[in-house]
């Protein structure tokens, strides 16, 4: 390591011989001395500062607009919250009605199946089995069509009741936005 330092010093000395720089006596050069101005915050009285009337009016106007915008935003948020709550309640009621009806129809179908099985147990001939089975299938097909109509009616009513208020609010919002 010492050899590296000596080699670097030798290179500097050789460079100084090739490019001679004048010697400066730094003691002759003085750094400028100055003091930073002191700011006394307590001595600075804001009450003496005058704000131009135009700036004051503009500031009051902007603050008024911000308050008005906030009030509108708050009212819209409250309306939206109420709408979501009402929509959820309507949808929940509709889904509950649909599920109750589906359970009722399932119970009726199960009872019909058990009745059919009981009837099949008392059959004496193959012709009676075919007759009972075809009558049962025909009746169940008609029943299933009626049940499907009932359930789809409940689902459609639930969808309409749920989304009609939303549709109205969205139309009202677009109408207000266009003003």
């Amino acid at each position: 390591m010492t050899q590296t330092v000596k080699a670097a010093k030798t290179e500097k000395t050789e460079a100084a011989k090739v490019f001679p720089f004048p010697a400066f006596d730094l003691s002759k050069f003085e750094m400028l001395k100055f003091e930073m101005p002191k700011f006394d915050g307590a001595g600075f009285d804001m009450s003496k500062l005058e704000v131009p009337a135009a700036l004051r009016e503009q500031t009051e106007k902007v603050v008024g607009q911000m308050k008005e915008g906030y009030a509108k935003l708050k009212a819209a948020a409250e309306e939206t919250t109420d709408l979501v709550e009402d929509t959820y309640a309507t949808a929940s009621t509709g889904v509950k009605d649909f599920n109750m009806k589906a359970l009722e129809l399932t119970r009726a179908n199960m009872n019909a199946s058990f009745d059919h099985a009981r009837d099949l147990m008392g059959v004496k001939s193959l012709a009676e089995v075919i007759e009972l089975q075809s009558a049962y299938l025909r009746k169940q097909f008609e029943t299933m069509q009626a049940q499907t109509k009932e359930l789809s009616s409940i689902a459609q009513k639930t969808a309409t009741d749920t989304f009609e208020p939303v549709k109205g609010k969205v139309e009202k919002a677009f109408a207000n936005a266009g003003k």
Side-chain angles (χ1 to χ4, degrees):
M1 187 160 142
T2 347
Q3 292 174 352
T4 310
V5 174
K6 286 182 185 177
K9 285 183 183 178
T10 308
E11 287 176 15
K12 286 182 183 178
T13 311
E14 289 176 14
K17 290 178 188 174
V18 176
F19 302 107
F21 288 105
F24 288 106
D25 185 14
L26 291 178
S27 62
K28 293 180 184 175
F29 294 100
E30 250 180 71
M31 290 295 291
L32 295 176
K33 294 182 181 177
F34 62 92
E35 289 185 29
M36 294 293 288
K38 294 188 179 177
F39 179 74
D40 184 19
F44 188 69
D45 189 13
M46 291 292 284
S47 65
K48 294 179 184 176
L49 183 66
E50 278 193 46
V51 177
L55 180 61
R56 187 177 310 119
E57 288 174 15
Q58 189 65 24
T59 304
E60 288 173 3
K61 182 179 175 183
V62 168
V63 168
Q65 289 173 345
M66 289 176 65
K67 286 181 180 179
E68 184 180 314
Y70 173 75
K72 287 180 181 179
L73 183 64
K74 182 180 176 188
E78 288 173 354
E79 279 183 37
T80 303
T81 302
D82 291 344
L83 177 65
V84 168
E85 288 173 354
D86 293 345
T87 301
Y88 178 76
T90 303
S92 295
T93 302
V95 169
K96 183 187 74 157
D97 293 345
F98 183 88
N99 288 338
M100 292 300 288
K101 187 56 140 175
L103 286 173
E104 178 186 320
L105 297 176
T106 301
R107 189 182 69 222
N109 290 338
M110 290 300 292
N111 287 338
S113 296
F114 288 133
D115 290 344
H116 177 63
R118 187 189 63 227
D119 291 343
L120 283 176
M121 294 298 195
V123 171
K124 304 272 187 231
S125 69
L126 182 60
E128 283 183 81
V129 170
I130 294 173
E131 184 182 331
L132 274 176
Q133 188 65 24
S134 59
Y136 172 75
L137 289 176
R138 195 174 17 251
K139 183 180 175 198
Q140 281 305 106
F141 184 73
E142 291 169 2
T143 303
M144 190 169 92
Q145 284 179 329
Q147 290 172 348
T148 302
K149 284 181 184 176
E150 245 182 295
L151 288 175
S152 63
S153 171
I154 292 171
Q156 188 173 11
K157 181 184 180 307
T158 299
T160 302
D161 292 350
T162 301
F163 293 109
E164 195 63 37
V166 173
K167 179 182 170 191
K169 290 289 183 175
V170 169
E171 287 173 354
K172 181 181 171 187
F174 278 119
N176 288 341
K179 291 181 180 178

